[in-house]
Amino acid sequence: MEKKELLIIIPAYNEGKNIRQVLTDLEGLDMKIRADILIINDASTDSTNWIVKEMHYPMISQLFNMGYGCALQTGYKWAVRRGYRYVIQMDGDGQHDVCNIPRIYDRLREADGDGVCPDIVLGARFMKESSEYPVSAAKKIVYAMFRFLIRLTTGRRFSDPTTGLQGLSRKAFLYYSKYNHFDDKYPDANMLILMSLIGFRVVEIPAVMHLRTEGKSMHSGLKPFWYMLRVMYSVVIILFRVKVLKQDVGMGERSADKI
C-alpha cells in the first residue's frame, strides 16, 4: 500500500455528539484514500472514545485533560515520527466543513512565483469569499485586538487570527513538535506572530465554517476575555525571545531536516 503524505489531526474533548458526523463527512469526501486521520482524545468523559473505536479510526487518548494545544502537539509528534509531509488540523465539533480539506491540501503544495510553497495555510472565516459566520460582540473585540497585535508586531494582516483550521508543512509541524515551541493551551494569534517573525511563510484562504450545534465551546461566555489576556501574555514572551534573545530567528528559511 502506498504511503500517504497527509495526516488529518482532530483534537476532541467531549465531542460525542459531533465526532461521528465529522468522520462520516470525511469518509464521504473519500479522505481515507488520500489521507490518514488521527483523533486526539483529550481525556473525554463522554462517548467520544467509544465512537472513534467503533468507527475504527486511530486514536491517541490522553490520560488527563491537557488542553487544546497539548492535544495538537501530540498529533504533530505522531506526524513527525511517521514521516508525513503535511498535516491538516481541524476541530471535532463540526464547525470546519470537510470541503476545506482538499483546498488547504492543494494550497500547501502550490508554489509562489519564486517556487516556494507556504509553511502554514489558514482556513479563514472572515475573508470576502468565506461563508457567512456570525460571532458574538465579545469575540469581535478579541479578534480585532489580535488583528491589531499581529499587524503591529509583524506588519502582516490576517482576517482570521484564531482559526483552528490549518494546514502545515513538515517544516512547520516539526518546529511545533519540539519542546517550548508551541502554546499548550491557546495556540492562536501568538503562534502566527511567532512563525511570521522567525521566517515561516503563512497564507490565508477563504473557508466554509458552521456554528456549533452540539456541545459547548471552549470560548463561551466571558472566557474570550481571559483567553485574550492569556494570548497577549504569550505574545510578550514571544517578542522577548525573538527580538531580544534572537531565538530561532530565520528558522523558517531552513530546510526541515535542519530544524
Side-chain angles (χ1 to χ4, degrees):
M1 182 181 294
E2 184 179 354
K3 179 176 173 57
K4 299 167 188 173
E5 65 177 7
L6 172 63
L7 176 68
I8 299 173
I9 298 173
I10 306 177
Y13 174 62
N14 289 344
E15 296 293 356
K17 295 181 179 180
N18 300 305
I19 194 66
R20 184 187 300 277
Q21 188 60 55
V22 171
L23 294 174
T24 300
D25 289 346
L26 284 169
E27 289 175 356
L29 200 64
D30 290 331
M31 287 312 300
K32 290 181 80 171
I33 299 174
R34 304 177 63 184
D36 290 328
I37 299 170
L38 174 68
I39 290 80
I40 311 296
N41 175 26
D42 195 19
S44 298
T45 56
D46 67 354
S47 59
T48 299
N49 177 67
W50 306 111
I51 291 171
V52 175
K53 285 183 176 179
E54 176 192 326
M55 297 184 74
H56 305 292
Y57 281 91
M59 174 174 59
I60 298 174
S61 290
Q62 311 271 41
L63 293 177
F64 304 97
N65 181 240
M66 303 292 287
Y68 178 70
C70 185
L72 284 174
Q73 194 175 50
T74 299
Y76 301 149
K77 291 179 182 293
W78 172 285
V80 168
R81 291 170 183 170
R82 282 156 181 79
Y84 291 95
R85 291 187 63 189
Y86 304 103
V87 157
I88 295 177
Q89 61 190 54
M90 63 179 293
D91 293 347
D93 58 9
Q95 293 193 70
H96 298 158
D97 197 296
V98 299
C99 73
N100 299 297
I101 302 299
R103 299 173 188 169
I104 292 174
Y105 183 43
D106 290 343
R107 186 66 184 89
L108 278 169
R109 298 177 297 159
E110 180 183 327
D112 61 17
D114 296 322
V116 180
C117 295
D119 298 304
I120 302 175
V121 177
L122 308 176
R125 291 166 288 184
F126 308 121
M127 295 180 73
K128 197 175 280 187
E129 302 85 354
S130 304
S131 63
E132 185 176 350
Y133 189 88
V135 295
S136 67
K139 288 184 178 180
K140 285 181 180 179
I141 294 172
V142 171
Y143 297 159
M145 177 61 71
F146 286 165
R147 290 187 193 104
F148 173 75
L149 269 178
I150 293 172
R151 190 166 69 252
L152 180 68
T153 55
T154 70
R156 297 291 310 277
R157 292 177 182 269
F158 295 113
S159 68
D160 193 353
T162 67
T163 178
L165 179 62
Q166 299 185 18
L168 308 173
S169 70
R170 181 171 178 84
K171 183 166 61 172
F173 68 75
L174 177 58
Y175 179 82
Y176 276 164
S177 72
K178 296 181 180 296
Y179 175 72
N180 208 29
H181 283 189
F182 196 69
D183 191 315
D184 64 346
K185 296 296 182 184
Y186 302 124
D188 278 319
N190 47 353
M191 294 295 97
L192 295 184
I193 289 172
L194 171 63
M195 298 302 266
S196 296
L197 288 176
I198 62 177
F200 285 84
R201 296 170 180 83
V202 186
V203 301
E204 274 188 317
I205 63 171
V208 176
M209 297 198 194
H210 312 288
L211 292 175
R212 171 190 280 267
T213 57
E214 298 284 354
K216 188 176 181 180
S217 170
M218 66 177 179
H219 297 315
S220 58
L222 295 177
K223 289 181 181 178
F225 291 106
W226 165 247
Y227 155 69
M228 179 176 68
L229 293 174
R230 173 68 169 74
V231 172
M232 289 177 69
Y233 171 75
S234 175
V235 169
V236 172
I237 300 301
I238 287 169
L239 291 175
F240 180 77
R241 286 174 52 189
V242 176
K243 297 293 188 179
V244 179
L245 301 181
K246 306 297 183 183
Q247 290 183 3
D248 295 338
V249 173
M251 185 68 73
E253 299 169 4
R254 303 178 192 178
S255 62
D257 57 357
K258 292 183 180 179
I259 292 181

